[in-house]
Amino acid sequence: MFSPIQKDVLIELLNIHIGQAASVLSEMLNQRVILTIPEIELITSDNLNILEFVQLGFSIGQKIISSIKFESKFEGMAYLVFPIEKAKSLVEICLEKVTTEKLDDSSITLTDLDFDVLKELCNIVFNSLIGEFGNLLNLKIRYSVPDINILCISTNKNYSLPPEINILILHTKFLLINNEIAATILVTLSTNSIYLLINKINELLGDLL
Amino acid sequence: MKILVIDDSIFMQKLVESSLEKNFPEVIIITADNGEDGFNLYQIEKPNYIVTDLLMPGMDGIELVHKIRDFDKEVKIIVITADIQKTVRDEIERLQVSAFINKPFNEEKVIQLIKTIRSGN
């Protein structure tokens, strides 16, 4: 769907949006957040099993998954996935608690307040990422209230995605002072949304094309 | 002074409440976690300020601000939101809000909120 140069521009735009997400995370956590440059893939699902991406970020274990639906002429869903043991650390930073306890997947329990804080954090990241598309396309994007759950990824399950949708997958790492958080962001977009993006990218490329 | 804080996140409610109480010891704070309850409380409590999020279940903050302004052109409204879209900011600012503050609600944003209230804007 994207030519090589269009994909280049898209990656550049996503880098900027992710950078802004890191900036707001830094404000929320009150510490420097360094973001690794995301590996970006653009695929079209066809009953794709998401475990095919296991080695790229969806490792086995419990994850926090937050999702938000966005609509207008630019529509789709965004998902943010990260390990559950990192979730507790993030909450403690937000609430300015200190812990020396080393947490593993099996010992994590999250309270309602923890989920509330995480939902707020994910919402801020989603708005940074998707909202910038709204600004880029000069559209007003409407959001659903974000959802947050625990997802258990195991080798026994098949995580199929709906067919005929377009998916941007961004694997990135947020580096905090004492913590590295590997997060995966998926953005599913309708075909019309992809064409809106392509048209905008062509406009940006102008005479270069 | 009475301030109505509307946000579906208890964490955010507590953050805003705490910053207001530290700076205005005499303040009375009422909270709601959605637009509909927020509107009902606005009608009952007649607050001096309304501090509201935009993205909430049921009646969202944009609808809430429109509805309040249909009734009352004077009550002071401050929006605190994660929404960074210019189109949204423009729409809300046309409703004569006192401030449009982007989350996260860090120290700088606390100062912005407090200054807005102190200036009586």
Side-chain angles (χ1 to χ4, degrees):
Chain A
M1 265 184 150
F2 286 84
S3 69
I5 192 165
Q6 287 168 340
K7 193 176 174 187
D8 253 1
V9 174
L10 177 63
I11 288 171
E12 193 54 39
L13 289 170
L14 287 167
N15 279 338
I16 293 167
H17 297 182
I18 290 275
Q20 280 160 351
S23 173
V24 294
L25 262 183
S26 175
E27 283 184 46
M28 186 161 184
L29 303 174
N30 198 26
Q31 56 179 272
R32 192 166 174 217
V33 175
I34 298 170
L35 205 67
T36 61
I37 293 170
E39 291 174 47
I40 297 169
E41 300 167 73
L42 175 61
I43 58 173
T44 302
S45 80
D46 193 2
N47 287 319
L48 184 69
N49 182 359
I50 212 155
L51 278 181
E52 288 184 33
F53 293 92
V54 161
Q55 70 264 40
L56 290 176
F58 280 112
S59 52
I60 306 299
Q62 287 198 306
K63 312 292 173 196
I64 292 294
I65 178 163
S66 182
S67 62
I68 195 167
K69 187 174 177 183
F70 52 95
E71 312 182 285
S72 69
K73 289 178 186 171
F74 189 72
E75 57 184 352
M77 291 214 46
Y79 303 84
L80 176 57
V81 185
F82 52 94
I84 197 168
E85 59 271 21
K86 299 298 182 182
K88 197 72 179 177
S89 309
L90 282 172
V91 171
E92 282 162 1
I93 295 169
C94 288
L95 298 177
E96 294 176 353
K97 282 187 194 166
V98 176
T99 182
T100 52
E101 194 187 333
K102 194 168 158 63
L103 301 167
D104 67 55
D105 191 328
S106 60
S107 67
I108 309 288
T109 51
L110 295 173
T111 63
D112 286 347
L113 176 60
D114 293 338
F115 278 112
D116 189 10
V117 174
L118 289 168
K119 197 161 89 164
E120 197 60 27
L121 188 150
C122 292
N123 185 38
I124 288 169
V125 172
F126 285 138
N127 272 270
S128 295
L129 192 61
I130 304 299
E132 283 299 345
F133 281 115
N135 288 335
L136 175 74
L137 298 167
N138 200 27
L139 289 171
K140 179 181 162 184
I141 295 175
R142 295 182 308 275
Y143 302 99
S144 65
V145 175
D147 209 8
I148 190 156
N149 281 298
I150 295 175
L151 174 70
C152 188
I153 294 192
S154 72
T155 51
N156 298 329
K157 289 183 184 176
N158 185 359
Y159 301 91
S160 290
L161 293 163
E164 295 172 6
I165 56 167
N166 310 287
I167 308 162
L168 286 169
I169 302 181
L170 294 83
H171 298 283
T172 189
K173 285 184 184 169
F174 295 94
L175 302 169
L176 312 176
I177 290 173
N178 296 315
N179 231 323
E180 179 183 287
I181 301 173
T184 299
I185 302 170
L186 286 103
V187 181
T188 64
L189 296 167
S190 66
T191 303
N192 280 346
S193 301
I194 290 281
Y195 284 130
L196 268 177
L197 261 184
I198 289 175
N199 287 340
K200 188 64 189 179
I201 288 170
N202 288 343
E203 196 183 301
L204 292 171
L205 284 168
D207 294 333
L208 293 176
L209 276 179
Chain B
M1 176 169 53
K2 200 184 278 186
I3 301 180
L4 172 58
V5 177
I6 310 168
D7 198 307
D8 61 326
S9 162
I10 305 298
F11 167 60
M12 270 306 299
Q13 279 184 24
K14 295 288 179 207
L15 270 185
V16 172
E17 205 171 331
S18 155
S19 66
L20 290 172
E21 283 172 347
K22 275 181 197 155
N23 287 277
F24 305 104
E26 306 293 319
V27 71
I28 298 166
I29 295 175
I30 315 133
T31 58
D33 62 12
N34 62 77
E36 194 155 343
D37 288 351
F39 184 72
N40 292 337
L41 280 171
Y42 148 73
Q43 289 186 301
I44 295 165
E45 298 284 346
K46 303 275 187 275
N48 303 96
Y49 282 89
I50 299 166
V51 179
T52 182
D53 185 14
L54 291 184
L55 183 60
M56 294 183 285
M59 186 194 293
D60 67 21
I62 297 177
E63 192 184 339
L64 171 69
V65 175
H66 274 283
K67 203 164 171 175
I68 290 172
R69 279 289 178 248
D70 283 345
F71 266 89
D72 186 345
K73 302 279 186 262
E74 303 298 325
V75 69
K76 297 177 179 63
I77 302 173
I78 297 167
V79 168
I80 303 180
T81 178
D83 201 323
I84 58 157
Q85 296 179 87
K86 194 174 178 306
T87 49
V88 172
R89 179 184 276 264
D90 289 347
E91 180 178 350
I92 292 294
E93 286 181 344
R94 277 196 293 274
L95 293 167
Q96 307 293 312
V97 298
S98 299
F100 184 101
I101 300 173
N102 274 130
K103 291 178 180 177
F105 192 58
N106 59 12
E107 207 176 301
E108 179 195 326
K109 311 294 173 60
V110 170
I111 292 170
Q112 190 181 352
L113 173 67
I114 303 307
K115 270 188 179 169
T116 301
I117 294 173
R118 283 210 171 115
S119 71
N121 186 12

